[in-house]
Amino acid sequence: MNAKVSAAGAKADIGRALRVGVIGAGVMGSNHARVLAGLPGVLLIGIVDPLPEHRTRAIDLVGCRAFETLDQLFAEGIDAVTIAAPTHLHHEIALACIARNIHILVEKPVASTVEEGREIVAAAERAGVTLMVGHVERFNPAVAAIKQAISGEDILSIGITRVGPFPPRMSNVGVVIDLAVHDIDLIRWFTESDIVEVQPQLSSAVAEREDIALLQFRTESGVLAHINTNWLTPFKARNVTVATRGKYVMGDLLTRQVTECFGFKPDGSYSMRHLPVGHDEPLRAELIAFLDAVRSGKLPAVSGDEGVASLEIAIRCLETPARPAASTMRKGPRRIAG
């Protein structure tokens, strides 16, 4: 999105509370509403969901109004929305909001296809409204600590593990779109470089779509990276390692512990220290960043273009055929010497 935005839509009146709505009252949308209801300078107008049971849950959890349709929310007059509806609805909902000069945060992935994502970005630019993509992992305090630790370093490799049990509410996507897209975004953000090579290995062990993914990448800057993700591990694990020429950084994104190894000596010895990590709720930090961008008219923390770029790499992982290993087996009987 361009830094210069139209006066009609981008810079909100700082002197009044922002009127904000949430679209989608599932687990994520309900959490959006919970956080927004507690933020200063925000008036949560309500949450939209076509399912009565979702609306009832949101009312019980947050105590806000709930609407059945978008038009009912629009009629209340709103400045901004967060879109936590199913991914296949992102495109239609985002364009409807943009057409009314409403600022939007769209949960990841930004859309079902790259083309739809680009249409959302282009529409937001034309209207001069803020568009931010909800890659919430960037706001994890452990991720922020890793990012700071590797700032200015010559990054060599990145390894990310994101595994856990099969999610009961997952329906139409596999682990690449649901999980790995988080880490594709982190690789691009850590390296500040585009991913130019993709080598995926996918498998569907117990699900219809891929539930195991081993993904390898090379960035334009030459960094090698890999992601290990699955829905077959009985417990959640979220780990990041980054090797640079000067240090090795390890982060546990669940326990929020980040360790830095440095001062490598020829005898194999080195120093180690734990880095300070904040305690902010990532979703709260993300929503505050979005609303700050709405008020100031500045670029959001995660732009629409960045969201589309990560989606494009994720889709490439699904479409790129795996490279078969070169066979070392002889065909036919071996000749016995002697």
Side-chain angles (χ1 to χ4, degrees):
M1 179 177 170
N2 293 330
K4 294 182 179 180
V5 289
S6 68
K11 192 170 182 179
D13 185 351
I14 298 176
R16 67 173 179 85
L18 286 175
R19 298 172 63 83
V20 183
V22 177
I23 301 171
V27 173
M28 197 65 195
S30 297
N31 280 324
H32 279 223
R34 169 186 59 81
V35 172
L36 288 166
L39 292 181
V42 173
L43 182 60
L44 178 61
I45 302 303
I47 190 167
V48 177
D49 199 291
L51 299 179
E53 59 269 30
H54 282 188
R55 296 198 298 274
T56 299
R57 180 177 61 190
I59 292 172
D60 292 342
L61 177 66
V62 184
C64 65
R65 299 172 66 189
F67 306 97
E68 184 177 358
T69 68
L70 274 178
D71 287 338
Q72 291 172 337
L73 177 65
F74 291 155
E76 297 295 320
I78 52 175
D79 302 306
V81 298
T82 66
I83 301 174
T87 302
H88 70 276
L89 299 175
H90 286 185
H91 179 255
E92 177 185 355
I93 293 171
L95 294 184
C97 294
I98 292 169
R100 291 166 175 79
N101 287 320
I102 296 170
H103 308 283
I104 58 175
L105 181 146
V106 185
E107 269 298 338
K108 68 83 192 169
V110 62
S112 295
T113 68
V114 172
E115 291 73 19
E116 287 184 352
R118 287 173 178 162
E119 288 178 9
I120 294 172
V121 171
E125 288 181 343
R126 287 194 300 269
V129 303
T130 297
L131 166 63
M132 179 166 156
V133 182
H135 280 284
V136 70
E137 199 70 280
R138 284 204 200 181
F139 298 88
N140 185 318
V143 169
I146 294 170
K147 173 72 170 176
Q148 182 175 2
I150 63 176
S151 177
E153 292 284 322
D154 184 7
I155 301 172
L156 303 176
S157 69
I158 299 172
I160 303 179
T161 297
R162 185 180 297 269
V163 297
F166 192 87
R169 59 183 164 75
M170 190 53 57
S171 58
N172 61 347
V173 298
V175 291
V176 172
I177 296 297
D178 184 51
L179 297 182
V181 72
H182 280 295
D183 304 311
I184 290 169
D185 176 70
L186 291 185
I187 290 168
R188 298 184 69 257
W189 189 52
F190 285 153
T191 63
E192 300 179 1
S193 179
D194 290 328
I195 292 172
V196 294
E197 292 183 25
V198 173
Q199 295 181 27
Q201 295 287 344
L202 310 175
S203 178
S204 301
V206 297
E208 180 180 349
R209 296 180 182 270
E210 84 285 349
D211 49 24
I212 306 172
L214 301 175
L215 312 174
Q216 296 186 84
F217 308 98
R218 183 188 296 272
T219 70
E220 191 172 25
S221 59
V223 175
L224 299 181
H226 71 266
I227 298 171
N228 170 27
T229 186
N230 70 55
W231 280 331
L232 303 179
T233 307
F235 54 86
K236 281 188 176 182
R238 308 283 188 266
N239 299 305
V240 175
T241 59
V242 182
T244 78
R245 293 199 182 276
K247 62 179 67 173
Y248 187 79
V249 180
M250 303 172 287
D252 186 320
L253 306 190
L254 295 181
T255 64
R256 298 184 183 177
Q257 293 181 323
V258 179
T259 304
E260 180 182 82
C261 303
F262 61 98
F264 305 110
K265 301 293 193 303
D267 62 1
S269 64
Y270 57 88
S271 300
M272 180 183 295
R273 64 185 172 190
H274 296 295
L275 300 181
V277 178
H279 300 284
D280 292 343
E281 178 185 2
L283 180 59
R284 187 175 188 273
E286 177 184 64
L287 292 174
I288 288 173
F290 167 58
L291 297 173
D292 284 347
V294 169
R295 290 188 178 99
S296 67
K298 295 180 180 179
L299 285 172
V302 186
S303 70
D305 285 330
E306 289 176 299
V308 172
S310 294
L311 173 62
E312 185 171 17
I313 295 301
I315 291 176
R316 279 178 59 189
C317 289
L318 296 175
E319 295 177 343
T320 302
R323 295 182 179 180
S327 176
T328 58
M329 297 294 293
R330 292 176 180 265
K331 296 186 184 201
R334 293 187 179 182
R335 182 179 177 182
I336 300 176

